[in-house]
Amino acid sequence: MPHIHWEDPFCGAGNNCFRLGTDSAGNAYIAVSGAEDHYVTDSRDALRALIQDIKAGKADHLL
């Protein structure tokens, strides 16, 4: 298992908390807080694109 530096959880009211992490090899990780051993991984560039798209409102229909 790679050494992942996890950020503090992002939590919604009464919902699961998500954590974002990175490693020294340029990978990014997303997991539910408390279940960090079950993560989704991709490149930091992919994570950057995901965050930018969310900030641009491209996921607003999911709210």
Side-chain angles (χ1 to χ4, degrees):
M1 179 185 244
H3 176 72
I4 303 169
H5 170 75
W6 292 105
E7 298 291 327
D8 290 337
F10 293 90
C11 301
N15 294 318
N16 287 329
C17 300
F18 291 93
R19 297 191 75 183
L20 302 176
T22 57
D23 67 18
S24 61
N27 299 307
Y29 302 83
I30 301 173
V32 173
S33 184
E36 288 83 356
D37 53 336
H38 300 285
Y39 51 77
V40 174
T41 186
D42 206 326
S43 68
R44 287 186 188 192
D45 288 337
L47 177 62
R48 184 178 300 108
L50 173 67
I51 291 170
Q52 288 173 337
D53 284 351
I54 290 171
K55 288 175 71 175
K58 293 182 180 179
D60 287 355
H61 65 282
L62 299 171
L63 302 176

